[in-house]
Structure formats: structure tokens, C-alpha cells
Amino acid sequence: MLPVEHNDPINEKILAISEDKIEGFVREPFQEIADRVGVAADVIMARIAAMLRAGTIRRVRQTLLATNLADGALVAWKVPEEKIDAAFDFMFQCDPFSGHVVLRSTDTLTAGSDYKLWTTVKVPHGFSLEEHCRLLAGKTGAKRFRIMPATGIFTLGVGHVRRKTIEPGSRAESPAKIIEVRAVELSEREWKVLLALKREFAPEEIRPTPWASRAREAGVSLEEFYCVAEELNGRKIIGRFSTFLEHVKPSAGGVRVTRFNALFHWAVPPGREVEAGGEIGRHHILTHCYWREGGPEFRNVNIMAVAHGTDKTRLLEHKAAMDAHLAAKSVPISYTNVFWGGRSEIKPSEISPMLYRKWLSEMTPQAA
């Protein structure tokens, strides 16, 4: 029986590459992982499939830069305490356009502390993010919500295994470059390929030439599938081929990849967001770093970042190193905070316009 925990030595080597090092679209992703790890492809595939079956890996899929395909935002929700668990369940179970669903808290009572439910939401172009959130508020009893779309992205990845040994202050030699969010329109043919491309892999699909069955699903030849996928990759629509760990819940053997999920907030002077985001986003511990406007509810924070770890004190040391780096770069901070993640569920946000219309008709039957 193959080892399925993330901390098995061979699995660690595989995950250090497969979590977030396979950039863009790759025709033979498992062979690419094998080449980089230095382990035979059949071993790579068997190990990934075993970890997926055991739940150590929660999904294997081609990620997209969905910010360019749908209108998305981080949304903070103010929900009455007695309704918050039901609201969490509704967002996770009933809204395929909500991705991350997290209950967050702060160490002290501060700006935005009463916004305890946080989600990522995406709606296809042509639909209203505001109306979508109003519909969700009506379904869940949320009293208020704050929509915070990303103006720019500085860091976007996973790599929890690789980040476990990173020291506070470890950062890239140069600032992170901003990725601007801009709308991209797709043809019907491109949508068919994209929807087949992004679907999660079942364990039995982890095999050589994994895209052959997806090409049949999209109704195109394998070569045409490759060509469309590579065109989409060139248009900055494709993200990474990734294995996502179950990083919050323990594995079947009781082993956790991470324990704490920290959402860092900084308010920097208007006009210096790109500079500050670049300096924060270069820190290796971060999985996400965005320019988002928090508004008065959150003391006008405009840079947000996420880090994961097994030790809360260690994460605060990483945060202190980032604060010190901003000070060294003469970037003033008028306000900063940490929102800690508690209960959480994560799923890929749906982005298909066709599926959105269907969902909307089910949620609002009188409008169908």
C-alpha cells in the first residue's frame, strides 16, 4: 500500500512541485512533474492518485486566471450570530459561484470584527456581482456585505508543503509585478474546451495523455484541444496545473498540512498601492496578495495577503517581517490587522454563463 500522507519523503518531493510549480497549460502534466522531481512518471501518477483517494489531496485540476473570465471579489458578510452557520452552509452547498467560504475572527475587537463570514464570489461577465450578493443576503439573512474586487494581483499560488520551512523575511530579489485584472471574451468553442479543461480529475483519470478524454468531452480532436488550450494560455487565461492539499482539515491519519490561515490587512497611502503590493507580494510565505479596497468598514485597507502555517506565533513573525520591510522602504502604514480563519471550505468557483443562468432561474423561479 502506498504512503498517502503529505510528509512521506517521496510525497513531499512530489507535492513541492505539483502544488504550484507547473505553470500554464502542459500537454503531459504528470510527466512534467516526474521530470522535475526526478521520479518515474508511473510512480508520480500512482502516488498522486493514492493521495487523492485518501483525501490528502482534495483535488487535481487545471486552474484558470478566472479574474479575467468573470467579475470576482472577496466579500465580507455581517450575519447575525444565530444564522452564521446556516449562512456558511448555504454559501458552500448552494452557491457554485462562491469559492472560498471562511469564518474569520480578530484577536481584538477592531474595525470589521463583526464581519465574520468571508467568501470569494465570481459571476460571469454580463451579470451583476452586486445583485448576486443581494440575492445571497436575502437567502442567508446577512445584514450587510462589503464587496472588494481585486484591482491587481501580486501573488497567487499554493505550495503549502514548500512553504513550511520558509523563514520570516524570506523574499524574492525584486518586488512582485502587478497582474492587472481585465475582461476576456471567449467563443463558444473556447468555452467548451475551457470547461472540459478545468474540471477536476478523478483518481482513474491520472494517467498519461490525460487530456484525450477531455477533448472528446469538448467534441474536438486532441490536437485541436491542445491548440485552443495553448491559445488560452497565451492570452493569460490559464493558471497552473495543481494538486490541492486538504490543508485545513486533518488527513485520515490525523496529519495536518497547516493549522492557521491568516488574512493580513494593510492601509497604505492612496497612490502607493502598486509599490506596497509589490514589496509585500515578494515575500515567499504568501499564497495570495491583492490590491483590494476595504472601504470605511475596514479602515480603508487596500492591500490584503494570505499566509498559512501550523504555528500562529510564526505567522505573526512573518507579518512583522513584512511590516518592517515596508518601513525600510519608507511605505507608511496607517492601519494593519490580521483576520484569522476558522471553519472553512474551498471549492472552485463556477464561471460558466450557461450554468449561471440555470442557477439563477432555480434561485429566483418567479423570474424564470
Side-chain angles (χ1 to χ4, degrees):
M1 184 175 176
L2 289 172
V4 295
E5 297 293 357
H6 80 276
N7 54 4
D8 169 82
I10 296 176
N11 288 347
E12 273 194 336
K13 290 181 180 179
I14 294 170
L15 292 165
I17 298 299
S18 67
E19 278 197 275
D20 69 343
K21 287 297 186 180
I22 308 301
E23 298 274 359
F25 174 77
V26 178
R27 293 190 178 198
E28 292 288 350
F30 301 114
Q31 184 62 55
E32 180 73 15
I33 295 168
D35 292 345
R36 297 203 194 184
V37 175
V39 174
D42 58 344
V43 174
I44 296 289
M45 290 184 286
R47 292 274 185 144
I48 290 176
M51 285 188 279
L52 183 58
R53 287 190 176 97
T56 303
I57 291 175
R58 71 174 186 265
R59 60 178 61 91
V60 178
R61 64 183 288 261
Q62 180 71 58
T63 68
L64 309 177
L65 294 176
T67 47
N68 293 340
L69 292 168
D71 296 323
L74 179 66
V75 184
W77 306 84
K78 186 185 292 187
V79 183
E81 196 67 34
E82 68 276 10
K83 295 182 178 180
I84 201 161
D85 286 330
F88 182 106
D89 292 339
F90 184 89
M91 302 290 195
F92 176 61
Q93 297 170 7
C94 302
D95 181 20
F97 304 92
S98 291
H100 292 58
V101 183
V102 184
L103 296 183
R104 292 195 179 276
S105 61
T106 54
D107 289 332
T108 59
L109 190 63
T110 186
S113 293
D114 49 354
Y115 286 79
K116 297 184 183 300
L117 178 60
W118 294 67
T119 65
T120 56
V121 180
K122 294 185 178 73
V123 299
H125 296 318
F127 297 93
S128 168
L129 194 57
E130 177 81 24
E131 289 179 10
H132 185 88
C133 289
R134 289 192 184 283
L135 190 157
L136 294 180
K139 296 287 185 181
T140 61
K143 297 300 184 185
R144 290 177 63 86
F145 56 85
R146 173 73 189 185
I147 299 174
M148 296 169 277
T151 301
I153 304 167
F154 301 97
T155 301
L156 184 59
V158 278
H160 298 303
V161 167
R162 183 168 50 78
R163 286 178 167 87
K164 288 176 71 174
T165 57
I166 288 173
E167 292 293 321
S170 174
R171 55 185 177 266
E173 292 183 2
S174 57
K177 300 294 186 184
I178 188 170
I179 302 170
E180 295 182 355
V181 177
R182 60 184 186 276
V184 174
E185 298 297 329
L186 300 184
S187 67
E188 183 178 349
R189 169 173 165 266
E190 289 169 332
W191 268 114
K192 285 181 178 179
V193 169
L194 194 73
L195 293 177
L197 182 76
K198 77 180 187 69
R199 188 168 56 75
E200 296 175 26
F201 281 82
E204 57 273 13
E205 292 182 293
I206 297 172
R207 56 181 181 237
T209 318
W211 304 117
S213 61
R214 302 301 174 91
R216 290 193 292 273
E217 182 181 318
V220 299
S221 69
L222 180 57
E223 191 58 37
E224 185 178 0
F225 186 93
Y226 286 156
C227 288
V228 173
E230 286 162 357
E231 287 171 6
L232 295 174
N233 191 50
R235 294 166 64 188
K236 307 297 184 185
I237 292 170
I238 306 298
R240 296 179 175 88
F241 186 87
S242 297
T243 59
F244 291 84
L245 289 172
E246 180 50 81
H247 59 276
V248 176
K249 301 171 187 174
S251 70
V255 179
R256 290 181 185 270
V257 179
T258 68
R259 185 180 174 195
F260 295 98
N261 163 358
L263 173 63
F264 300 144
H265 280 186
W266 292 270
V268 302
R272 302 191 70 177
E273 296 91 348
V274 174
E275 178 189 1
E279 295 299 342
I280 292 168
R282 68 197 288 187
H283 285 77
H284 293 140
I285 191 63
L286 297 176
T287 57
H288 302 74
C289 183
Y290 293 92
W291 172 0
R292 300 186 188 273
E293 297 291 343
E297 295 95 332
F298 297 97
R299 297 273 297 274
N300 296 310
V301 302
N302 43 18
I303 303 296
M304 301 185 185
V306 176
H308 299 260
T310 54
D311 184 272
K312 186 174 182 179
T313 300
R314 189 67 161 175
L315 283 174
L316 289 174
E317 289 171 357
H318 281 287
K319 168 69 164 49
M322 294 177 217
D323 293 346
H325 181 66
L326 287 178
K329 293 293 182 178
S330 300
V331 179
I333 304 168
S334 62
Y335 167 76
T336 186
N337 206 346
V338 182
F339 281 74
W340 298 101
R343 182 187 178 195
S344 67
E345 293 286 358
I346 302 171
K347 64 184 190 295
S349 299
E350 189 50 76
I351 55 172
S352 164
M354 297 78 79
L355 292 177
Y356 190 82
R357 291 188 192 96
K358 182 176 182 293
W359 178 86
L360 198 58
S361 69
E362 293 170 351
M363 289 291 110
T364 57
Q366 70 278 6

